[in-house]
């Protein structure tokens, strides 16, 4: 089941006129700002999915975590050895399926690049381009 299908049965609230609205990344509903969490630890960053979807996704990810393979002793991306408490469950944001155990740096890096194969391939092409240029300082 695709993630978008999980959030299609939520009620559609009526925003008040003039109220700031945002589109949820999961259910694609246009909702008032009050329907989104604000992360105080990130300079008041507004979460991109609505509270309803965040709660539903948290339930699903709890289930994924419960049935995930045992934590490894290394990051499955950079292969550096890590303490189990230094590894994070990585999952596909479309299907919510488990992908592996990653260190914080790799998890944030992949997420910052868009969490898609296409975006990581673009970054790889960029790095290859840079190493092929002979513009050394």
């Amino acid at each position: 089941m695709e993630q978008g299908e999980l959030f299609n049965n939520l009620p559609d609230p009526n925003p008040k006129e003039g109220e700031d609205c945002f589109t949820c990344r999961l259910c694609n509903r246009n909702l008032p700002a009050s329907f989104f969490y604000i992360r105080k630890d990130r300079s008041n960053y507004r979460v991109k999915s609505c509270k309803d979807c965040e709660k539903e996704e948290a339930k699903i990810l709890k289930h994924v975590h419960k049935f995930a393979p045992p934590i490894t002793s290394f990051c499955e991306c950079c292969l550096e050895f890590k303490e189990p408490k230094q590894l994070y469950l990585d999952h596909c944001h479309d299907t919510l399926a488990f992908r592996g155990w990653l260190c914080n740096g790799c998890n944030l890096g992949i997420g910052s690049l868009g969490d898609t194969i296409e975006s990581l391939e673009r970054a790889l092409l960029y790095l290859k381009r840079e190493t092929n240029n002979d513009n050394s300082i």
Side-chain angles (χ1 to χ4, degrees), residues 55-111:
K55 289 175 189 171
E56 191 63 30
E57 188 175 44
K59 286 182 204 172
I60 294 166
L61 287 177
K62 187 175 182 180
H63 179 79
V64 171
H65 211 288
K66 182 177 178 180
F67 293 101
I71 296 177
T72 59
S73 58
F74 60 93
C75 171
E76 294 181 52
C77 184
C78 68
L79 304 179
E80 287 187 23
F81 287 98
K82 300 287 182 181
E83 294 291 323
K85 65 182 178 183
Q86 295 177 304
L87 294 171
Y88 299 88
L89 181 138
D90 181 43
H91 66 283
C92 174
H93 289 264
D94 291 331
T95 65
L96 299 176
F98 174 83
R99 285 195 293 218
W101 297 102
L102 301 181
C103 69
N104 191 48
C106 289
N107 194 31
L108 290 174
I110 290 170

Side-chain angles (χ1 to χ4, degrees), residues 32-45:
S34 61
F35 281 68
F36 295 83
Y37 290 113
I38 293 180
R39 296 273 313 262
K40 300 292 183 193
D41 60 330
R42 284 201 189 161
S43 301
N44 292 326
Y45 169 82

